Amino acid sequence: ANDHIRFDFTHFAALTAEELAKVEDMVNDAILAGSPVITEEMSIDEAKKKGAMALFGEKYGQTVRVVQAGDSIELCGGTHLDNTAKAGSLKIIGEASVAAGVRRIEAVTGKAVLKLMNDRQAVLNEAAAALKTNPNELAAKIEQQVNDMRALNKKLEKMGAKVAAMQMVDLFNVSRNIKGVEVVATKLDDASADMLRTMGDDIKSKKDNMVAVLSAVNGDKVSLLCVCGAEAVKKGAHAGKIIKEVAKIVGGGGGGRPDSATAGGKNPAKLEEALEAVNNIVDAML
């Protein structure tokens, strides 16, 4: 069309950013060369002698339309500009696979390139304004923000570890003895699945005679973890079987090894009921 192009070609791998840039430069060089576009009709034999390129699979009659722009000579029935410069410029906006061994380049031309550039500049200006900088310094500002976020996340992880350690002390104090095994089941506030695993590993290493079911709610999802110390496993505790029963109550499922298992659920409203069931589940297992 007058403002965009699709070009399919045979190739068995995605073009790299460098290759796309080279293609774009080659096309724009041809546009800026300002070559006249010459259209002629002639016999197919004359066209072949002239060096016109025919597309594989196309059917041509005895009389064909030959289009020449600079060094390019093709058989084509489409309409064309009378000079390549009138295309203005070209900007590639996409490259993807459309079939086995066939790739497609999509691009905009002429005023559509200016609109694309203006739209992208507007996005850059908005992003720069949000980060309180100017577009020329946006990349450096983003890198700084990413580094600041990484540092902040590390601080949060350390704080989370400290909070987890404090919560573990509380857990040990409220555990219930069932047939010689300490059992605890609780919900942790603002805890991620990773934090649950970290706490579970600490519990196993410090309390080999404990069964612990830890849970957290994030949005409408329930995360569950069960760990059983080595001595608790010897007495019959099995984390995978425990977590499976608990998860059923909160509308989920899961499982795992005798010493560690995870599960998820979709009904946070049933979490308290699920945690209260842990003692009976463990009691029936030992």
Side-chain angles (χ1 to χ4, degrees):
N2 66 334
D3 60 355
H4 68 273
I5 179 174
R6 280 192 326 211
F7 181 75
D8 293 354
F9 59 103
T10 302
H11 198 56
F12 294 93
L15 268 65
T16 65
E18 293 77 12
E19 288 171 330
L20 285 173
K22 187 175 180 181
V23 169
E24 198 172 88
D25 286 343
M26 290 170 65
V27 175
N28 281 310
D29 285 344
I31 291 172
L32 294 173
S35 301
V37 179
I38 302 167
T39 302
E40 300 176 281
E41 288 192 357
M42 60 186 72
S43 70
I44 186 72
D45 292 333
E46 287 178 296
K48 289 179 179 179
K49 288 178 182 178
K50 194 169 184 178
M53 183 176 71
L55 296 178
F56 178 76
E58 291 285 343
K59 293 182 179 180
Y60 298 97
Q62 286 302 309
T63 301
V64 293
R65 189 168 183 267
V66 179
V67 179
Q68 180 172 355
D71 295 330
S72 174
I73 308 174
E74 298 183 28
L75 302 183
C76 184
T79 56
H80 299 274
L81 300 171
D82 57 17
N83 190 290
T84 61
K86 290 186 178 180
S89 61
L90 175 137
K91 183 66 181 175
I92 294 174
I93 58 174
E95 190 271 349
S97 171
V98 291
V102 179
R103 310 289 302 180
R104 173 175 292 170
I105 281 180
E106 296 198 48
V108 290
T109 59
K111 288 185 177 180
V113 176
L114 295 177
K115 184 180 185 304
L116 176 67
M117 295 304 181
N118 288 336
D119 289 346
R120 289 183 175 178
Q121 186 62 49
V123 172
L124 284 174
N125 290 341
E126 289 179 14
L131 293 175
K132 295 181 173 60
T133 187
N134 63 67
N136 292 332
E137 297 176 358
L138 185 58
K141 188 69 173 180
I142 291 174
E143 184 178 1
Q144 177 190 332
Q145 292 282 335
V146 170
N147 290 334
D148 289 346
M149 287 181 64
R150 286 173 179 164
L152 182 59
N153 285 334
K154 287 182 179 178
K155 289 182 180 179
L156 288 174
E157 287 175 5
K158 290 181 180 178
M159 290 179 63
K162 290 180 180 179
V163 171
M166 294 172 61
Q167 289 178 319
M168 272 200 298
V169 173
D170 293 336
L171 289 179
F172 296 156
N173 291 333
V174 298
S175 63
R176 179 178 174 182
N177 189 293
I178 297 178
K179 296 179 180 177
V181 173
E182 295 180 72
V183 180
V184 64
T186 189
K187 173 188 172 186
L188 301 174
D189 296 325
D190 302 318
S192 65
D194 287 339
M195 188 180 292
L196 294 183
R197 281 191 289 269
T198 299
M199 290 185 66
D201 290 340
D202 286 344
I203 290 172
K204 279 197 301 178
S205 65
K206 293 176 180 177
K207 293 281 186 175
D208 62 359
N209 196 38
M210 174 171 275
V211 172
V213 175
L214 309 179
S215 65
V217 176
N218 293 293
D220 58 352
K221 294 182 179 180
V222 178
S223 295
L224 295 166
L225 171 82
C226 179
V227 291
C228 300
E231 286 299 318
V233 171
K234 288 181 181 178
K235 293 177 181 178
H238 191 293
K241 295 178 181 178
I242 294 170
I243 209 70
K244 185 177 181 180
E245 294 300 317
V246 175
K248 283 181 183 177
I249 300 173
V250 291
R257 306 186 310 269
D259 65 329
S260 181
T262 59
K266 297 175 287 187
N267 191 352
K270 289 276 192 177
L271 180 57
E272 186 175 347
E273 178 185 336
L275 295 176
E276 288 176 352
V278 170
N279 288 336
N280 290 334
I281 293 171
V282 176
D283 184 52
M285 186 174 291
L286 298 176

